[in-house]
Amino acid sequence: MIERPAAALKELVENALDAGARRIAVVLEGGGIARIEVVDDGHGIAAADLPLAVQRHATSKLADETLVRIATLGFRGEALPSIGAAARLQLISRAEGEDSAHEIRVEGGLVSPLAPCAGARGTRAVVRDLFFATPARRKFLKHPRTEAEHAEAALRRLALAAPGVAIALEHDGRRLLDLPAQSRAERVAALLGPEAAGALLPVLAERGAMRLAGFAGSPALTRASAVAQGLVVNGRPVVDPVLRAAVRVAYREVIAPGRHPVVALFLDLPPESLDVNVHPAKSELRFQDPAAVRGLVIGALRAALAAPAGAAPRPLGIGGWHRPAARPAPVQGLVAQGLVVQGGGMQGLAESQLPLAAAPAARLVPAATPSPAHPLGAPLAQVLDTYIIALAADGALVLVDQHAAHERLTHEALRAQFHAGGVRAQPLLLPAVVDLPATEAARLLAQAASLARLGLEIESFGAGAVLVRALPAALGAPDPAPLLRDLADELAELGEAMALEARINAVLARLACHGSIRAGRRLAAGEMDALLRQMEATPRAATCSHGRPTFLKLSRADIERLFGRR
Ligand code: ADP
Ligand code: MG
């Protein structure tokens, strides 16, 4: 049960939380292998109860196994004896109303007699020399640095679940965490850091007796792994595959493949609708109705993410550039912080790298007064024929990637039409003939009926040739040849077995890419304004269909901070 320092630390901190501690201080040495110390100011353990506390299956907590526990984190009475069997455990506690503290020690399972000692109200648990008696197990421990990381991660998960408790962590003399008692929102911001705090969208949804609250990171805020996902169910931090999968699905179309969103989600549901006994470490659950949980999480996250551009994200803590989809890139210097945009328009890079002499670097547009109703502001200029600079009524500066933004608008328009019964098709005056490798032509023609509902009408035109009769009207007049080649690629990626219906959205995204304003196209003032207004009215407009940001926003406060005025 205790396989590494992080596991022992988790049990000790859970006990402190169960004891109603307001403040918990953790000190680790040598990754926790040498020493773990947890001091709390909870209700303590009465002297007479100390020998019981270290006995197997002794618990002061309600241990009705048929009842699913929610009130306390522990309930099996196994942790302290397990730690005492694997290490040198020292427990010093003073219960409310007792005039002295008492100490008990367990080393390799041997319990020492109880002894009075000095100590404030609460409990101090010290674990030394983990696996000192079992060198074989000790060999499986990682480098102390790695063990310390695991321990810190475990403590962070508990800290998320208990924002009202002050929590500090020190490792080998270095302070790693120092969290005051906070509101949930403050704790989330403190744990995720300033970069994340500026890009969290509130989540709130109910379904029957279930309630989901918390924060969803904007698609900007992706990480290389899922460790930044905090999931708390009935006050218990969990690592649950059902919840993890739901988060993945909700973000699938707004972040790039292989990246992981940042979330802090708190699910509360009636205790009888889950079973926390499944996993001995209690971090896995079994939901009685996983489909309902999944639906709630996906629906709530999608609703949060569908907030129109500009309306969100609302900074929770320290602001900074709100980069709707930039990955946490190591940044240097203040200016770089906001101006690093990864990617750029998909096909746009080559075009936007045209020699500057070919186009003026920036073209100003006649000034319009920004309206407070327009969070993305009024356009001021087009830069490099690729980016729009706008000014909002509150003084925020907005930089828009015109191709990325338009691609999302087109994608959403196609999606809306599709769900309303079918994408509107524009018949071509002269049907176009496109030559393709025979397998690609066959792959497209096999899906002709489905493609027709996407506004793309094709038929066979002899070996390896496809006749295009109509294209989706929302795309304008794209060149049909690259569009068909791209679609054939998409279908190949999706696999023959996969029905097109199941992957309509991926196909719509491909189509959108072809019907969008390119980087490098000069826009009139009216076109820029129309683009910004449509972004404000369109769900998911903060990122393009590939998960890249469509705009960056620098608020007045951000500007003042960058110039050191604050
Ligand atoms: P469990 O938490 O499942 O009851 P443990 O072995 O973790 O089992 O702890 C055994 C008992 O010791 C608890 O039920 C509780 O009464 C007492 N205890 C342990 N740690 C603390 C603490 N920090 N403060 C108060 N009581 C504690
Ligand atoms: Mg316990």
Side-chain angles (χ1 to χ4, degrees), residues 6 11 78 102 133 159 164 172 178 206 221 227 258 262 285 322 324 339 341 394 401 428 486 516 518 524 555 562 566:
E11 295 295 338
E78 282 175 2
H102 284 80
D172 287 344
D178 195 359
E206 283 177 1
L221 194 67
V227 288
V262 172
L285 307 165
H322 309 148
L339 297 180
V341 186
D394 59 4
D401 177 331
L428 301 184
D486 236 21
S516 301
R518 294 300 149 127
S555 73
L562 289 171
R566 281 195 173 190

Side-chain angles (χ1 to χ4, degrees), residues 11-12 15-16 18-19 40 43-45 53 58-61 74-81 91 93 123 282:
E11 295 295 338
L12 297 178
N15 282 347
D18 283 347
D40 71 59
H43 58 55
I45 309 170
T59 176
S60 63
K61 303 161 197 176
F75 55 89
R76 291 160 173 256
E78 282 175 2
L80 292 182
L91 208 54
S93 196
T123 303
K282 294 162 285 174

Side-chain angles (χ1 to χ4, degrees), residues 12 52 257 350 423 432 517 542:
L12 297 178
L52 283 175
V423 173
I517 302 174

Side-chain angles (χ1 to χ4, degrees), residues 22 62 136 161 195 223 238 250 280 282 320 327 362 375 420 494 527:
R22 307 311 309 152
L62 238 179
E195 186 218 21
R223 301 272 162 93
V238 297
K282 294 162 285 174
R327 285 134 201 209
L494 297 180
E527 289 180 292

Side-chain angles (χ1 to χ4, degrees), residues 112-138:
S112 72
L114 197 65
C117 66
R121 191 196 97 143
T123 303
R124 171 188 299 264
V126 186
V127 179
R128 289 192 183 85
D129 300 331
L130 188 61
F131 302 144
F132 76 98
T134 42
R137 293 190 67 183
R138 203 171 172 137

